[in-house]
């Protein structure tokens, strides 16, 4: 253990091997769903010759695991931070449903855009440009990111736990069939049990809550209890997949490990590329990933106590480089953009403070290559209890915001509100960055706004125009 302590400087970070191991396991359990979800999304857009749909899904699971492990290992050894990485949700959906299926772009070309984005990130990180831009974030935005991510985690968790359901009139409502829904009942019992363990200072309380909830769910399934139909009424539905158990039927065939048709497919994608359309795709990938990663690093770094007095994460260039290399590797081997996961907050809340936490996550991902059912066996509602617990704890950072100053209150409030209601960290940051110079100018304090902050605000306005005006589709 002495080698690990020296390598990751555990004493300097006021932590120990056991704490880091528990933190890493906690983070892995809360994000292991990506091993199943990412292939399910990408397989809708990626088809490989001489491979069955099932084998394609298996291949995508393998590249998901490899890209997550490589990026997180770089985070562990190069950045020495407890942040885990994997192909990002949202970005994979944009890749599959908007770029490939919606715009008709070949999936190989979409992978080319991911690789170009990653190379741009490596270049900008190496020259310090990404760190410079992140330091331009207004202070109230930096202080609000943690709480905004907390609210975002809460809505993700409550959906998976079947506490809330979709509604055609209000978009969101309390589960109208809560009392008849075993997933909802077991989830809430597990949630309060986890809160009780945490309040009692029980070590590993979050992971214990996940494990106990998982066991209860499997027992209920063995007793013949089944989930209710997720489609409750017209326009009223619950989060899916709705299962008391994890995906225990997941197995690998030998062909599933042969990922050669995906590795290097991005090279073929550069043929017959429309310059304008391709540039707009890269721009969209780049913008969302840049600010999602910046927000996650800042928000999780805040609850870990990593930020300095100005709200900046010291040596942020190192985790940014891990993110950049991870995205490039992911595109090369056949998956969408890799990003830093907000689920890292669960491990940080368990005390993870160094790259040893990330190393544990990476090792567990690699173990999943041989034991995929291990990653898939935890029910989604059980793992997502951790997100709600951490969401509550992340709200404590709201006290750092100067609510008496509207130039702080308005950007901070918008940053926090927009994240959960648009399902996007980057959109929340965008709202805060756009609002800050406008409110400052209205207060007669335009001289206090850095020119770069005006440029950032204008860049976000341009991004929203490109993303929502139909320009992207018209250029292809």
């Amino acid at each position: 253990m002495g080698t690990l302590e020296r390598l990751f400087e555990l004493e300097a970070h006021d932590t120990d091997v056991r704490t880091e191991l528990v933190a890493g396991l906690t983070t892995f359990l809360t994000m292991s769903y990506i091993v199943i979800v990412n292939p399910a999304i990408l397989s809708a857009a990626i088809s490989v010759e001489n491979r069955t749909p099932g084998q394609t899904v298996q291949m995508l699971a393998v590249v998901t695991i490899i890209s997550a492990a490589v990026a997180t290992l770089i985070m562990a050894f190069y950045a020495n931070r407890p942040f885990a990485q994997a192909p990002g949700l949202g970005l994979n959906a944009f890749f599959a449903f908007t770029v490939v299926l919606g715009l008709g772009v070949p999936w190989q070309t979409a992978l080319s855009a991911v690789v170009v984005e990653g190379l741009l990130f490596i270049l900008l990180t190496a020259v310090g440009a990404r760190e410079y831009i992140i330091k331009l974030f207004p202070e109230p935005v930096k202080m609000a990111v943690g709480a905004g991510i907390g609210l975002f985690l809460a809505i993700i968790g409550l959906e998976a736990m079947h506490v809330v359901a979709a509604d055609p009139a209000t978009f969101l409502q309390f589960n109208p069939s809560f009392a008849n829904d075993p997933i909802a009942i077991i989830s809430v019992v597990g949630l309060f049990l986890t809160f009780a363990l945490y309040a009692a200072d029980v070590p590993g309380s979050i992971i214990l809550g996940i494990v106990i909830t998982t066991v209860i769910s499997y027992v209920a399934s063995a007793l013949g209890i089944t989930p209710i139909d997720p489609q409750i009424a017209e326009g009223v539905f619950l989060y899916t997949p709705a299962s008391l158990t994890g995906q225990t039927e997941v197995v690998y065939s030998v062909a599933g490990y042969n990922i050669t048709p995906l590795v290097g497919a991005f090279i073929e994608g550069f043929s017959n590329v429309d310059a304008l359309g391709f540039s707009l795709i890269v721009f969209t990938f780049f913008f969302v990933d840049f600010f999602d990663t910046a927000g996650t690093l800042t928000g999780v770094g805040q609850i870990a106590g990593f930020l300095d007095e100005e709200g900046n994460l010291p040596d942020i260039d190192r985790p940014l480089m891990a993110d950049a290399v991870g995205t490039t590797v992911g595109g090369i081997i056949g998956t969408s953009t890799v990003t830093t996961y907000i689920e890292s907050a669960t491990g940080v809340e368990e005390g993870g403070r160094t790259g040893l936490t990330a190393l544990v996550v990476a090792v567990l991902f690699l173990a999943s290559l041989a034991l995929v059912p291990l990653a898939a066996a935890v029910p989604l509602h059980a793992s997502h209890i951790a997100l709600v617990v951490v969401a509550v704890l992340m709200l404590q950072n709201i006290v750092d915001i100067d609510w008496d100053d509207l130039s702080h209150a308005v950007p901070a409030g918008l940053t926090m509100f927009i994240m959960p209601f648009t399902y996007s960290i980057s959109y929340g940051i965008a709202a805060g960055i756009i609002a800050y110079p406008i409110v400052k100018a209205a207060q007669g304090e335009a001289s206090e706004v850095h020119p770069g902050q005006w440029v950032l605000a204008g860049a976000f306005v341009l991004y929203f125009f490109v993303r929502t005006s139909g320009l992207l589709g018209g250029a292809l």
Side-chain angles (χ1 to χ4, degrees):
M1 293 298 184
T3 301
L4 293 176
E5 291 174 352
R6 291 191 299 272
L7 181 61
F8 294 105
E9 302 174 342
L10 301 186
E11 185 176 350
H13 288 87
D14 193 27
T15 185
D16 54 50
V17 172
R18 180 194 176 281
T19 299
E20 297 288 306
L21 294 177
V22 171
L25 180 57
T26 302
T27 298
F28 175 76
L29 287 176
T30 57
M31 65 181 290
S32 60
Y33 65 86
I34 196 62
V35 175
I36 304 300
V37 175
N38 193 54
I41 292 174
L42 293 184
S43 63
I46 295 178
S47 60
V48 180
E49 290 185 6
N50 302 319
R51 291 292 191 278
T52 66
Q55 290 171 338
T56 300
V57 169
Q58 293 171 9
M59 292 163 60
L60 289 168
V62 171
V63 299
T64 297
I65 290 169
I66 293 173
S67 61
V70 169
T72 307
L73 282 171
I74 296 171
M75 184 70 75
F77 291 109
Y78 179 66
N80 195 24
R81 293 294 191 189
F83 307 135
Q85 302 188 95
L89 285 177
L91 286 164
N92 56 7
F94 176 75
F95 177 104
F97 301 118
T98 300
V99 177
V100 179
L101 298 178
L103 301 177
V105 174
W107 61 266
Q108 296 91 337
T109 301
L111 287 177
S112 301
V114 173
V115 173
V116 170
E117 174 210 351
L119 293 173
L120 285 173
F121 276 158
I122 290 175
L123 175 62
L124 292 175
T125 304
V127 300
R130 290 180 80 187
E131 182 175 1
Y132 176 77
I133 293 172
I134 292 171
K135 286 183 176 179
L136 285 175
F137 286 14
E139 181 184 347
V141 174
K142 293 176 184 175
M143 293 298 101
V145 163
I149 289 176
L151 294 173
F152 188 17
L153 289 173
I155 198 166
I156 294 172
L158 292 173
E159 286 176 346
M161 293 166 59
H162 284 195
V163 173
V164 297
D167 182 89
T170 63
F171 296 101
L172 199 66
Q173 64 166 322
F174 183 71
N175 180 355
S177 298
F178 184 94
N180 299 315
D181 188 344
I183 289 179
I185 295 171
I186 292 172
S187 295
V188 170
V189 170
L191 176 65
F192 283 108
L193 174 63
T194 306
F195 274 128
L197 292 171
Y198 190 91
D201 291 325
V202 175
S205 55
I206 293 178
I207 192 171
L208 280 174
I210 294 173
V211 171
I212 293 172
T213 306
T214 298
V215 171
I216 294 173
S217 298
Y218 273 85
V219 170
S221 179
L223 293 174
I225 298 174
T226 58
I228 63 173
D229 186 348
Q231 186 72 45
I232 298 175
E234 182 68 29
V236 180
F237 54 88
L238 296 164
Y239 192 89
T240 56
S243 172
L244 279 170
T245 61
Q247 298 195 34
T248 53
E249 74 282 0
V250 176
V251 293
Y252 271 173
S253 66
V254 174
Y257 285 96
N258 181 8
I259 60 174
T260 51
L262 295 177
V263 176
F266 77 96
I267 297 174
E268 180 185 343
F270 283 116
S271 61
N272 300 319
V273 168
D274 174 77
L276 175 59
F278 186 77
S279 298
L280 290 175
I281 293 171
V282 172
F283 173 75
T284 305
F285 277 135
F286 179 94
F287 221 81
V288 175
D289 190 24
F290 186 110
F291 291 99
D292 268 5
T293 298
T296 300
L297 292 176
T298 301
V300 179
Q302 186 180 29
I303 66 170
F306 292 155
L307 304 189
D308 60 23
E309 294 180 355
E310 297 178 350
N312 296 317
L313 179 65
D315 298 321
I316 195 174
D317 59 305
R318 290 179 174 267
L320 288 174
M321 184 59 79
D323 168 80
V325 174
T327 289
T328 306
V329 171
I332 290 173
I333 67 175
T335 187
S336 55
T337 302
V338 171
T339 190
T340 305
Y341 262 56
I342 54 178
E343 283 84 353
S344 302
T346 61
V348 167
E349 196 54 52
E350 283 286 8
R353 292 296 182 271
T354 74
L356 181 53
T357 294
L359 175 60
V360 173
V361 176
V363 169
L364 289 171
F365 267 121
L366 290 174
S368 298
L369 283 171
L371 301 170
V372 170
L374 175 67
V378 178
L380 197 65
H381 61 274
S383 66
H384 280 43
I385 284 173
L387 303 188
V388 179
V389 173
V390 172
V392 172
L393 301 175
M394 291 184 77
L395 294 178
Q396 63 186 310
N397 298 316
I398 292 177
V399 298
D400 297 328
I401 299 167
D402 183 1
W403 294 103
D404 293 327
D405 183 348
L406 282 179
S407 68
H408 282 229
V410 173
L414 288 175
T415 297
M416 289 188 293
F417 297 157
I418 298 298
M419 281 188 192
F421 295 133
T422 61
Y423 234 71
S424 170
I425 295 172
S426 59
Y427 286 176
I429 293 174
I433 286 177
I434 293 172
Y436 181 75
I438 294 174
V439 177
K440 272 290 190 183
Q443 290 180 327
E445 300 173 349
S447 60
E448 296 181 13
V449 179
H450 191 286
Q453 292 173 331
W454 284 105
V455 173
L456 270 182
F460 268 117
V461 172
L462 174 62
Y463 166 74
F464 283 124
F465 175 75
V466 170
R467 186 72 177 85
T468 62
S469 66
L471 179 63
L472 186 59
L476 293 165

